[in-house]
Each structure stands twice: as C-alpha cells, then as structure tokens.
C-alpha cells in the first residue's frame, strides 16, 4: 500500500475532546501529550498503566474500564474531535477506523502507520521555532534521533540564534511600519536574500541590523 500524502500542520488542541482507546504505553504517551495541550481526554480500556492512572489528577481526563469489542463504537465516539487507537486487535481496528470515518472524526492509529489518518510526530522547540519529525512509521527511534540532532545543531550555533532573534524583531518592525501586506511581503523577501542584512543579523549586531531594515522600509 502506498503511503498517503499527508500535510504537516500545527493544530491548536486546547479544549478539544480526544478519545484514547487502549491503556498501555502508547496510549499513556498520547494521553499525556494531549493533556499537555489542554485537551479533554477520555480513555477506554480493559486495563490501564499506573502512569495513565496518575494522569487523572490533571482533572481533564476520564478513564472508563470496559471491553471495547462489546461496545457500540459509533456511540462511544459521539462528540469527540480525535480518536487514538492503541489496541493490538486488527478486527477492532478496522471497526474503529470505519466508525471514525462515518462520524467525521480524525483518526490516529498507533498500530498502523500506513492506515492512520493523523500522524503524531516527535516535536521540539528552539527559540520558538517548532520542529516536528516523522518517518511515517519506518522508525520512531530514527525520528526522535533526527529531532534531537537538529535541536543540538541549532543550540550550538550562536549565529543562528542571533538570526532568529533579529528576524522576530524585524517582523514586528515591518508590521508596525508598513500597512500594505503586499509591500511587507516584498520587504521580507528582499531581506531574506540580502547578504548584507543576513551578515548583520547573524553577528548579533541588533542596532545596525534594525537601522538597515529601517533604511529598506524608507526606500520601499
């Protein structure tokens, strides 16, 4: 089966309702991730890990003990925005996936990297730059290693840190000084390709970099 073409997106999940089916390690990690994002999480499983039980203290999580094979899958999905499937049962997986499709609910299949609709990547942050890495199921260990490698490289590169900080200030300066969105974009693109500006930004010379930007704005 060919790997589906998936679009990488960062989606605000605060206040969203997430149904986690399963109570093992993967289900625990998924529940932890969505709770940290401010989601309301409901877990249904025959057994749950001790770590998953501890997460209930968050206040935004319910745990229901039950045999998923005996439940009305359409009924249990009602009102949720995402269902996470983390149970080693192929027949049940197919039922849950079809029910998610019928009910127009996003489906994250932790047991089938090809069949999943939503991929949960390994993510990190460097100075507000979000990094998300996935191998589409080939190897989670490899994806995690690549994420850590990228963050290590960025962290050991002071000039990139300077560059990022200056660009944050540049964007605010241009937004506050230029009304036309089209003109703002032209200035962004000019500075993006301007070697003199990039050199100033990487050096950490903020005052000279911002004076350079002001001159570019004045000249249109």
């Amino acid at each position: 089966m060919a790997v589906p073409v998936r679009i990488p997106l960062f989606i605000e999940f605060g206040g969203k309702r997430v149904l986690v089916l399963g109570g093992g390690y993967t289900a625990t990690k998924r529940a932890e991730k969505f709770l940290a994002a401010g989601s309301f999480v409901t877990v249904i499983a025959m057994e749950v890990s001790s770590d998953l039980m501890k997460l209930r203290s968050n206040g935004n999580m319910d745990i229901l003990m039950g045999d998923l094979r005996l439940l009305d899958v359409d009924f249990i999905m009602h009102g949720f925005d995402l269902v996470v499937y983390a149970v080693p049962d192929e027949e049940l997986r197919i039922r849950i996936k079809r029910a998610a499709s019928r009910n127009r609910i996003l489906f994250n299949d932790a047991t089938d990297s090809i069949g999943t609709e939503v991929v949960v990547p390994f993510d990190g942050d460097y100075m507000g730059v979000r990094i998300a890495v996935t191998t589409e199921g080939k190897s989670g260990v490899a994806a995690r290693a690549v994420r850590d490698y990228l963050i290590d490289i960025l962290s050991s590169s002071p000039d990139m840190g300077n560059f990022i900080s200056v660009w944050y200030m540049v964007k605010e300066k241009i937004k506050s000084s230029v009304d036309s969105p089209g003109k703002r974009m032209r200035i962004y693109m000019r500075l993006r390709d301007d070697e003199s500006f990039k050199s100033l930004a990487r050096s950490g010379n903020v005052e000279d970099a911002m004076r350079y930007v002001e001159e570019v704005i004045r000249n249109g």
Side-chain angles (χ1 to χ4, degrees):
M1 181 185 297
V3 176
V5 177
R6 300 182 177 111
I7 299 174
L9 301 170
F10 284 93
I11 301 175
E12 170 59 54
F13 248 77
K16 301 292 187 183
R17 297 188 63 207
V18 178
L19 175 64
V20 177
L21 304 179
Y25 176 82
T26 301
T28 301
K29 289 300 181 182
R30 291 288 195 272
E32 187 175 41
K33 191 175 191 72
F34 284 106
L35 284 171
S39 304
F40 297 98
V41 178
T42 298
V43 176
I44 304 179
M46 286 283 286
E47 299 179 5
V48 298
S49 70
S50 58
D51 288 337
L52 193 50
M53 291 295 289
K54 292 175 185 176
L55 290 176
R56 286 194 301 180
S57 62
N58 176 283
N60 286 342
M61 188 174 80
D62 293 321
I63 296 179
L64 306 176
M65 308 300 289
D67 188 340
L68 290 166
R69 294 170 298 181
L70 304 179
L71 299 177
D72 182 333
V73 292
D74 289 284
F75 177 78
I76 64 174
M77 287 188 190
H78 181 71
F80 287 96
D81 300 291
L82 170 73
V83 57
V84 175
Y85 183 77
V87 181
D89 185 318
E90 178 62 16
E91 182 180 347
L92 180 60
R93 184 189 72 82
I94 294 172
R95 287 178 58 207
I96 295 296
K97 183 176 182 179
R98 288 174 177 170
S101 179
R102 284 194 300 271
N103 291 278
R104 298 179 180 274
I105 299 171
L106 293 173
F107 179 65
N108 170 233
D109 190 339
T111 70
D112 183 357
S113 60
I114 302 299
T116 190
E117 180 182 26
V118 174
V119 172
V120 179
F122 293 93
D123 64 299
D125 177 278
Y126 175 72
M127 295 184 63
V129 176
R130 295 289 303 279
I131 297 170
V133 181
T134 180
T135 61
E136 303 267 27
K138 295 181 182 68
S139 171
V141 173
R144 187 186 293 111
V146 169
R147 176 204 60 188
D148 294 343
Y149 174 78
L150 293 173
I151 292 176
D152 286 344
I153 290 295
L154 290 169
S155 300
S156 62
S157 177
D159 62 333
M160 182 55 70
N162 293 334
F163 186 80
I164 292 169
S165 295
V166 167
W167 260 108
Y168 287 163
M169 291 185 285
V170 166
K171 180 177 180 180
E172 290 304 313
K173 178 65 177 178
I174 294 173
K175 285 180 65 177
S176 64
S177 303
V178 180
D179 293 330
S180 168
K183 185 176 180 180
R184 287 200 298 265
M185 186 56 63
R186 287 194 297 273
I187 294 173
Y188 292 144
M189 295 302 100
R190 174 177 172 182
L191 291 172
R192 182 198 65 182
D193 299 326
D194 189 317
E195 294 300 329
S196 296
F197 170 73
K198 288 191 287 186
S199 179
L200 287 171
R202 289 197 176 96
S203 72
N205 193 335
V206 176
E207 290 185 3
D208 285 351
M210 296 308 295
R211 278 197 289 268
Y212 193 97
V213 171
E214 290 170 358
E215 183 64 25
V216 169
I217 292 173
R218 280 196 297 272
N219 294 333

